[in-house]
Every structure is written in C-alpha cells, then in structure tokens.
Amino acid sequence: MTMQASPGWFADPFARFEHRYWDGSRWTEHVGSGGQQAVDAPVNPPPATSGRGQHIIAQTVLPSATAPVNKRVQRQVENLGVADRTRSGGGTLLTEPVLVVNQKVKLFEKKAEYEVFDQLGRKVGGVRQFGTSMSRVAVGRDNATKRLQIVDAQGMPLFTLTRPATVLKSKVIVMRGDGTHIGQIVQENTGVLGSVLGGRFNIRFRLEAEGVSVGTINAESWQAWDFSLQDPHGFEFARITKTWAGLGRQSYTKADNYVLEIHRHLEEPLISLVVCAALAIDTVLHQGSNR
C-alpha cells in the first residue's frame, strides 16, 4: 500500500515554477511563482516516493520552512480554531490556506502598515500605505484616496490597491505589481440599517473581474468585524475574522488583526481578489474610523 499526501502546494517537481498544486492523487496544472499563479500542464509526472515506495510529497521543503516564527500569531490561529497542519501551503500569499494579517502598532498613526503570516507564524508578506492625496482637503483624511502596496516576504511588490476618495460607498481597484488590472472590490451598501434589521442589510462587498461578479464579502453583524466570502451561488469559500489585539492595542491604538481562512483551492483572478480583500477590508471600514 502507498501513503499519499494531503492536497496542497509543494515545490514544483518539474522545476519549471516555484510551486505546483498536488490534489491528493496527482500533480495538477496549477502552478505559482513570485506570488502569481499560472497554468502549466504536468508532463510525465515523476513519482514522489521514498526508498520504500511510499509517497512522501508532504516532506517537500517549502520556501519558508526555516523562517523565524511568531508565537503570538500561532496563538491567534489556535484561539480561533482554524489551525490545520494537514493543509500546508506553498509559503506565499497566494498559496497559504490561512493568512494572519497584523497591523503594526503605532500610537500616532498616519499611514497603515501590516505584516502577513502563515498559520505557523512565518512571515509571508506585508502591506504598506503610500502616497498622500489632495482629496483629504475636500473629504477629510479618512475618506481621502488611499493606496496600499502588497509585498511578498522579500519585500517585492505583488499588488497595488487603490481606494478612490469616497463619502459613503467605497471601491478598491486591484492591480498587479506590473500594473495589470485584476478587478475591483465594490461596496454595495453602507450597513446603516444593519444594526436594526441585520441580515442582508449588513455591509456587503462585491468581487468583480472584467465586469463580472465572482463573489461577495458579507458582514455577519452590523459591527462589520467578521465576514463570510461566498461564490455567486451563496456557498462560503473563505472567511475573514477579526482577532483580539490585546488590551493596550484595542484601547489606545488603531491596530487591527485579521485571519483569512480559505476553505478550498481558488483559481485566478479570485484568489488574488480574496487575498487583497482581506487587506482592504480594514482600510475601507476600520482604519481611522469610529463607525
């Protein structure tokens, strides 16, 4: 009998990309390099076996295997009950099933900055706000145009998020590091009636690619702290959950901590929109806001 590894992202055995997805029984065409996904048909897949003929794909060394770990991040994941060591990822923002987004603590904060970790507490990326918009004079700092740059663990730009100046509803434009347009995250309602009526009146966002809705982000309460990400048929494929930042952080700073849990394999452009949404949610709703 053979012992097959669980589905997940592993080093590409064909050496054509950094990672390739293993579906539990075979290598698939889903690959990734530099934080971006692509499609590459597996040709003559080599057997992933040990000397005894047993499948040991799970022993493939991942890029971040030797990276330092953050114990506080590990506790966050364990407290939420989303840790699943059998679902190991490829060590990048687009291949990990669980991402922990922690805002860096700044008592007097002007620009947001975040660190992103995998479920083991290894840093896989970061987010930094850049640029100053003149629109802040007309609509105020909180509603002015905001730009975020998402980087990998080495600091290389992967995505740029732009939220144009807004008064009520927000829209976030998502682009790759090379300027290629991916899609946008569009706020459908303000959530004002959510505290009274709840349900569909809670704040809601739409994920769009090429003008087509590929999913929604639905707040589960009027406070808009936890979100269910659903496909066009209403089935949940991911969740964004706010975690406790600590007494000092919650009381005296604007630091926010979130966990993104992806339930199944997602293809492009949805996976990029989902990862970016987990980072944009804080900028759109909570950053600099008392709502």
Side-chain angles (χ1 to χ4, degrees):
M1 294 181 63
T2 60
M3 202 168 63
Q4 294 186 343
S6 301
W9 288 90
F10 303 99
D12 183 9
F14 308 102
R16 295 196 290 266
F17 293 83
E18 292 179 2
H19 309 105
R20 186 176 293 271
Y21 192 77
W22 172 262
D23 67 4
S25 60
R26 66 179 181 85
W27 295 107
T28 71
E29 69 276 16
H30 302 295
V31 294
S33 289
Q36 298 188 15
Q37 288 192 3
V39 175
D40 176 68
V43 180
N44 297 324
T49 61
S50 66
R52 299 179 179 180
Q54 293 181 327
H55 291 272
I56 56 168
I57 303 163
Q59 294 181 10
T60 303
V61 178
L62 302 178
S64 58
T66 59
V69 298
N70 187 310
K71 297 295 185 181
R72 181 169 57 84
V73 169
Q74 290 181 343
R75 289 194 296 270
Q76 285 178 257
V77 175
E78 291 173 358
N79 290 339
L80 284 178
V82 298
D84 185 355
R85 302 299 175 85
T86 65
R87 298 180 61 214
S88 58
T92 69
L93 285 172
L94 297 181
T95 59
E96 287 294 333
V98 176
L99 292 176
V100 182
V101 185
N102 283 357
Q103 185 174 1
K104 290 187 176 181
V105 179
K106 298 178 182 179
L107 189 59
F108 301 102
E109 178 183 305
K110 292 184 178 180
K111 294 184 179 180
E113 189 173 356
Y114 305 81
E115 292 180 314
V116 187
F117 303 86
D118 66 8
Q119 62 178 321
L120 299 179
R122 299 175 300 204
K123 186 175 179 178
V124 295
V127 187
R128 52 200 180 206
Q129 185 176 347
F130 66 97
T132 302
S133 172
M134 293 300 295
S135 62
R136 64 188 299 173
V137 178
V139 298
R141 191 184 77 174
D142 296 341
N143 295 325
T145 298
K146 291 186 178 181
R147 296 180 178 86
L148 296 177
Q149 185 178 64
I150 301 176
V151 300
D152 62 17
Q154 287 72 45
M156 296 298 294
L158 298 178
F159 304 101
T160 297
L161 311 183
T162 302
R163 192 203 70 176
T166 180
V167 176
L168 292 176
K169 297 180 182 179
S170 297
K171 177 175 69 175
V172 178
I173 301 169
V174 182
M175 305 183 74
R176 298 198 186 281
D178 60 4
T180 304
H181 184 268
I182 299 176
Q184 54 189 12
I185 306 165
V186 183
Q187 185 176 348
E188 293 188 339
N189 60 12
T190 61
V192 173
L193 298 177
S195 60
V196 179
L197 302 176
R200 64 187 180 90
F201 293 98
N202 290 330
I203 200 163
R204 174 187 173 99
F205 295 84
R206 182 175 68 253
L207 301 176
E208 286 186 355
E210 297 183 351
V212 178
S213 177
V214 294
T216 57
I217 308 174
N218 309 275
E220 298 195 328
S221 67
W222 66 271
Q223 293 100 333
W225 278 9
D226 300 334
F227 298 84
S228 171
L229 282 71
Q230 302 173 4
D231 63 23
H233 303 290
F235 295 104
E236 180 178 288
F237 58 78
R239 293 185 65 81
I240 300 174
T241 306
K242 184 174 183 181
T243 66
W244 176 246
L247 182 60
R249 296 186 178 193
Q250 293 287 139
S251 301
Y252 302 109
T253 74
K254 298 173 182 176
D256 278 314
N257 299 330
Y258 289 83
V259 172
L260 168 65
E261 180 187 10
I262 301 175
H263 304 325
R264 58 180 174 83
H265 172 68
L266 302 177
E267 297 185 0
E268 289 289 1
L270 183 57
I271 180 61
S272 290
L273 288 173
V274 167
V275 170
C276 290
L279 307 174
I281 284 292
D282 185 52
T283 299
V284 172
L285 283 181
H286 297 290
Q287 185 60 39
S289 172
N290 293 321
R291 181 151 61 107

